[in-house]
Amino acid sequence: MALRNIREDGDAILLKHSRPVTDFNKRLHTLLDDMRETLLAADGVGLAAPQVGILRRAVIVMDTNKVDLTPEEQIIELINPQIVSSDGEQTGQEGCLSVPGVYGIVTRPEHVVVKAQDRFGTPFTVEGTGLTARCFCHEIDHLDGHLFTEIAEHILTQEELEEMNREQE
Ligand code: NI
């Protein structure tokens, strides 16, 4: 496994459309293993392949609702993911490893159902609520070249960020 370089806002690759994964081979497994290591090292909750420069439809998301699991165990790998249904609404703070230090207020569904394939190509369905639902939406947006800053209702100022972080303590 190896850490991959996380591309940052201003890198044109982040605005591109990713292609479906068709080969569930060693190359894909190495990519996913590297993405896992990169996500954990960056202390994030989700990562999409284009963020490490690979224009393929693969994302990883941490199901932080599963509090009994370790961060490593919380990671869900989703290949060729598609949101098949969503309901409810949540409005809250969102950030991205590719847009370091920037946080915005973004409205997302409260609950989503996602169809995807695992690293061997086997189809599965997974549900997410709260932060996990937000993360599924955010990471899948990356596959179509979209960043949260495009849909943020408001980008938090440094003052507002400090205020919000104080409230969370
Ligand atoms: Ni992101």
Side-chain angles (χ1 to χ4, degrees):
M1 294 211 289
L3 286 178
R4 301 232 182 170
N5 188 29
I6 297 179
R7 305 299 185 94
E8 293 187 358
D9 197 13
D11 190 322
I13 206 159
L14 293 172
L15 306 178
K16 292 186 176 164
H17 193 84
S18 292
R19 295 179 306 265
V21 171
T22 51
D23 295 324
F24 296 82
N25 53 15
K26 181 76 177 35
R27 197 181 171 84
L28 173 69
H29 296 179
T30 301
L31 169 67
L32 291 167
D33 290 343
D34 289 353
M35 284 172 64
R36 296 176 82 100
E37 192 179 342
T38 303
L39 177 65
L40 292 168
D43 203 22
V45 288
L47 189 67
Q51 289 183 275
V52 294
I54 306 294
L55 289 170
R56 288 288 180 178
R57 302 188 80 82
V59 308
I60 57 173
V61 167
M62 280 172 58
D63 188 348
T64 50
N65 295 328
K66 299 219 167 95
V67 290
D68 295 340
L69 300 183
T70 65
E72 173 72 36
E73 290 168 340
Q74 285 177 341
I75 295 175
I76 306 168
E77 299 174 352
L78 303 120
I79 315 303
N80 301 323
Q82 274 186 304
I83 295 171
V84 290
S85 74
S86 62
D87 55 89
E89 200 178 270
Q90 56 174 319
T91 298
Q93 195 178 325
E94 193 166 315
C96 177
L97 292 174
S98 292
V99 196
V102 176
Y103 296 88
I105 302 299
V106 181
T107 299
R108 301 280 193 186
E110 174 59 26
H111 171 247
V112 296
V113 180
V114 180
K115 265 192 182 168
Q117 287 164 280
D118 69 12
R119 60 165 64 199
F120 303 103
T122 307
F124 69 98
T125 300
V126 63
E127 289 186 46
T129 56
L131 178 61
T132 307
R134 176 179 293 283
C135 204
F136 283 145
C137 297
H138 177 115
E139 299 313 327
I140 292 169
D141 276 354
H142 272 300
L143 302 181
D144 295 312
H146 296 302
L147 298 175
F148 81 96
T149 44
E150 293 168 41
I151 56 164
E153 287 132 59
H154 174 66
I155 298 293
L156 298 173
T157 63
Q158 197 55 41
E159 226 167 34
E160 288 168 329
L161 256 178
E162 285 166 13
E163 180 69 21
M164 276 187 117
N165 291 339
R166 258 199 304 275
E167 280 165 18
Q168 278 166 11
E169 276 165 14

